């Protein structure tokens, strides 16, 4: 079957799984030429096997809120592909979580993890539980109920979850605590743990730091550097924090952050105090950024809008999928943006990406740019397995090297006449590695 037939079949089989079909389509269109050059892939039905998760767990999560009322949510774990190593990927708690969203994330994770060079398969999980406004005790009870159902399917060499939107160090701690009580083992079967119980140094920073190491390489491709460049960041969570911290440290000027309520424009640029305040805003649990403008003179809040309307050199979507659409892309292009690097997973719509490529604006996809997060998770697994904790310097050096290599792989497979198509490069490099591992292990 050719790529178009495979896509049409998938659409017929999973109608309405919008995000999942979008993620698959992007990858398949990029790998089409490579696939056509390998008849053995077609014979082994490699793509048909790659686009269907190995298995999906769906379960009811029932817990009691602070008022004593019984609450029900749906929990999921999508174990997508373990050709390269144990299932690995984050857990998302957000009202917008659906099976389609977790399937897209698990699919992306498989290729991302392949790009890290570490032995990790792809998975994703989560729940439609919304942490917004919940007390600490409610969060704990929910995490415990979630793991009570899922724990049998996890394990240090089976499936290792981590954080994602709505799941940070606190939630990982509560989930891991329950996991280890039930499994009666202490083998680190979650990453993003606290430093006192098997966590890795630099894991909280890793996604954002890694993204900036990748951006530095993209700038080098243009014979430029980051000093003095203006940067638009969206979001104000863990990923936005890490990206803003490293961007500022390297001499860039971060002028926006955003939340569900709108965005902040701060022409003076973020500094240490403002970045710390961002963490406070996140920790408040209210999911709004508006108070920033009241606290820091000279900054402005734009309710209900996205930062992409500001003139900047570099755009870094750090919030969630499809947060940058075609109209946003056109505004960035009209304002002569130098490059767009997705730090969120699938942050740009297909139409936005088409616009960047048509204009030859350098664009790099989340599965390459944000792979530093899961890469340091892989290093956390190694540290747990050897019962050691490495220095921040060692972890950061390894993160640096991994991001450098991912960039190299993107350039190797994505070089076109007068343009580097990082998306194509990332998808081909990831696909070839997963396909090779699957071919070698037979029809299973
Ligand atoms: O999207 C991602 O790569 C993550 N949420 C991190 C996954 C991980 O296992 O650290």
């Amino acid at each position: 079957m050719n790529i178009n037939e495979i896509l049409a079949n998938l659409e017929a089989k999973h109608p309405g799984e919008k995000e999942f079909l979008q993620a698959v389509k992007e990858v398949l269109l990029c790998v089409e030429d490579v696939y056509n050059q390998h008849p053995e892939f077609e014979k082994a039905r490699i793509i048909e096997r790659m686009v269907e998760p190995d298995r999906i767990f769906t379960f009811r999560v029932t817990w009691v809120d602070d008022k004593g009322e019984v609450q029900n949510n749906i929990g999921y774990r999508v174990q997508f592909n373990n050709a390269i190593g144990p299932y690995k990927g984050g857990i998302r708690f957000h009202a917008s979580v659906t099976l389609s969203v977790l399937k897209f994330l698990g699919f992306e994770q498989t290729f991302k993890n392949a790009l890290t060079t570490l032995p990790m398969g792809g998975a994703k999980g989560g729940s439609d539980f919304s942490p917004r406004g919940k007390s600490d005790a409610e969060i704990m009870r929910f995490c415990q109920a979630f793991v009570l159902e899922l724990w049998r399917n996890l394990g240090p060499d089976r499936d290792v979850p981590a954080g994602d939107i709505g799941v940070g160090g606190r939630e990982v701690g509560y989930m891991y605590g329950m996991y280890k009580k039930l499994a009666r083992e202490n083998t680190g079967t979650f990453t993003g743990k606290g430093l006192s119980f098997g966590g890795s140094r630099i894991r909280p920073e890793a996604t954002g730091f890694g993204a900036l190491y990748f951006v530095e390489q993209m700038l080098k491709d243009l014979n430029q550097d980051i000093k003095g460049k203006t940067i638009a960041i969206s979001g104000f969570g863990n990923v936005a924090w890490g990206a803003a911290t490293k961007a500022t440290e390297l001499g860039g000027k971060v002028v926006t952050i955003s939340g569900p309520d709108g965005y902040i424009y701060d022409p003076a640029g973020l500094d240490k105090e403002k970045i710390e305040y961002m963490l406070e805003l996140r920790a408040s649990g209210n999911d709004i950024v508006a108070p920033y403008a009241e606290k820091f003179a000279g900054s402005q809040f734009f309710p209900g809008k996205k930062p992409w309307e500001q003139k900047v050199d570099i755009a870094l979507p750090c919030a969630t999928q499809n947060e940058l659409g075609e109209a946003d892309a056109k505004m960035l292009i009209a304002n002569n943006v130098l490059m767009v690097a997705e730090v969120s997973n699938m942050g740009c719509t297909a139409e936005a990406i088409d616009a960047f490529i048509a204009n030859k604006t350098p664009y790099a996809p989340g599965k390459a740019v944000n792979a530093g997060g899961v890469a340091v998770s892989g290093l956390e697994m190694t540290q747990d397995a050897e019962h050691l904790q490495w220095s921040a310097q060692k972890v950061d050096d390894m993160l640096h090297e991994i991001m450098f290599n991912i960039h190299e792989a993107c350039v190797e497979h994505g070089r076109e006449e007068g343009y580097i198509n990082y998306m194509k490069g990332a998808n081909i490099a990831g696909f070839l590695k997963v396909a090779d591992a699957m071919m070698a292990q037979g029809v299973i």
Side-chain angles (χ1 to χ4, degrees):
M1 254 189 279
N2 68 36
I3 294 284
N4 283 324
E5 286 167 329
I6 296 173
L7 265 175
N9 281 346
L10 199 69
E11 281 166 17
K13 215 188 275 185
H14 303 292
E17 292 190 354
K18 194 166 60 76
E19 295 85 2
F20 173 59
L21 294 168
Q22 178 188 342
V24 171
K25 190 170 179 184
E26 179 204 297
V27 171
L28 296 198
L29 293 182
C30 286
V31 305
E32 185 166 13
D33 290 345
V34 172
Y35 175 72
N36 290 337
Q37 288 156 16
H38 288 269
E40 72 277 18
F41 288 167
E42 186 174 355
K43 189 151 187 300
R45 300 276 183 267
I46 278 293
I47 290 190
E48 289 93 322
R49 287 155 63 191
M50 247 182 222
V51 298
E52 207 55 63
D54 291 351
R55 67 193 66 79
I56 299 171
F57 301 105
T58 311
F59 47 94
R60 172 174 51 76
V61 185
T62 299
W63 55 285
V64 180
D65 70 18
D66 285 349
K67 295 194 205 94
E69 298 198 3
V70 176
Q71 299 285 343
N72 282 305
N73 289 97
I74 312 178
Y76 308 87
R77 184 70 175 166
V78 181
Q79 293 183 337
F80 220 103
N81 186 301
N82 69 349
I84 288 178
Y87 299 108
K88 180 84 196 85
I91 300 274
R92 178 176 293 191
F93 292 162
H94 194 267
S96 65
V97 163
T98 60
L99 185 56
S100 168
V101 167
L102 296 180
K103 279 177 70 180
F104 118 65
L105 288 164
F107 180 77
E108 291 273 297
Q109 197 80 42
T110 301
F111 300 97
K112 182 198 304 192
N113 294 2
L115 288 171
T116 64
T117 69
L118 303 175
M120 300 183 287
K124 206 83 187 193
S127 174
D128 60 352
F129 170 78
S130 171
R132 185 187 288 180
K134 299 290 192 297
S135 73
D136 188 67
E138 288 175 323
I139 300 268
M140 182 178 77
R141 287 197 293 275
F142 178 80
C143 289
Q144 293 177 338
F146 184 87
V147 168
L148 186 56
E149 189 60 39
L150 186 61
W151 74 275
R152 282 181 188 80
N153 307 305
L154 308 177
D157 297 309
R158 181 179 297 178
D159 185 349
V160 183
D164 193 79
I165 292 169
V167 177
R170 174 180 61 166
E171 290 75 15
V172 166
Y174 290 151
M175 285 194 277
Y176 183 61
M178 191 56 156
Y179 172 81
K180 100 182 167 37
K181 187 179 176 75
L182 293 163
R184 297 197 282 176
E185 58 167 51
N186 210 333
T187 47
T189 309
F190 266 86
T191 61
K193 301 184 293 300
L195 282 181
S196 55
F197 56 100
S200 175
R201 296 200 166 87
I202 307 294
R203 178 62 189 89
E205 294 86 351
T207 311
F209 279 23
L212 265 295
Y213 299 154
F214 194 96
V215 165
E216 280 192 297
Q217 295 304 314
M218 286 176 81
L219 282 161
K220 259 194 201 153
D221 293 332
L222 298 173
N223 290 318
Q224 305 238 19
D225 76 56
I226 196 166
K227 295 214 169 52
K229 297 279 187 301
T230 52
I231 302 171
I233 282 181
S234 61
F236 69 116
N238 164 265
V239 172
W241 165 75
T245 302
K246 185 53 81 175
T248 307
E249 185 191 312
L250 294 172
K253 190 170 166 190
V254 176
V255 293
T256 69
I257 58 166
S258 74
D261 55 333
Y263 80 92
I264 297 286
Y265 179 61
D266 186 347
L270 268 63
D271 57 18
K272 213 167 177 284
E273 184 195 354
K274 292 168 176 174
I275 292 171
E276 298 241 318
Y277 180 67
M278 195 162 125
L279 284 183
E280 259 177 61
L281 276 177
R282 168 61 52 192
S284 79
N286 295 326
D287 218 8
I288 49 169
V289 292
Y292 182 109
E294 287 153 36
K295 188 164 166 76
F296 297 109
S299 70
Q300 208 182 334
F301 175 60
F302 292 85
K305 300 193 105 190
K306 294 182 176 175
W308 319 126
E309 61 186 18
Q310 292 293 338
K311 180 173 169 48
V312 289
D313 299 316
I314 300 172
L316 302 179
C318 293
T320 193
Q321 69 269 6
N322 292 326
E323 57 170 311
L324 195 161
E326 187 177 13
D328 302 317
K330 291 199 164 142
M331 278 190 281
L332 287 167
I333 291 169
N335 282 327
N336 279 321
V337 73
L338 260 183
M339 64 176 57
V340 180
E342 256 177 22
V343 196
S344 45
N345 291 308
M346 204 166 76
C348 298
T349 64
E351 296 75 22
I353 298 170
D354 288 346
F356 293 135
I357 292 180
N359 190 58
K360 292 201 187 308
T361 300
Y363 155 78
K367 63 170 78 69
V369 178
N370 73 27
V374 73
V376 173
S377 277
L379 301 178
E380 181 170 333
M381 290 166 71
T382 308
Q383 292 169 74
D384 291 345
E386 62 181 20
H387 305 286
L388 288 174
Q389 190 166 52
W390 300 344
S391 69
Q393 187 66 53
K394 175 167 173 162
V395 178
D396 197 30
D397 286 349
M398 289 180 82
L399 171 63
H400 222 125
E401 188 182 327
I402 288 168
M403 296 314 298
F404 182 89
N405 289 335
I406 295 174
H407 170 266
E408 291 281 286
C410 291
V411 174
E412 183 191 337
H413 295 280
R415 199 183 282 288
E416 294 174 352
E417 189 63 36
Y419 184 61
I420 299 171
N421 188 332
Y422 300 93
M423 170 179 71
K424 191 169 149 196
N427 285 329
I428 292 176
F431 168 77
L432 282 174
K433 182 167 175 187
V434 176
D436 181 68
M438 289 174 73
M439 292 296 292
Q441 293 172 57
V443 178
I444 49 170

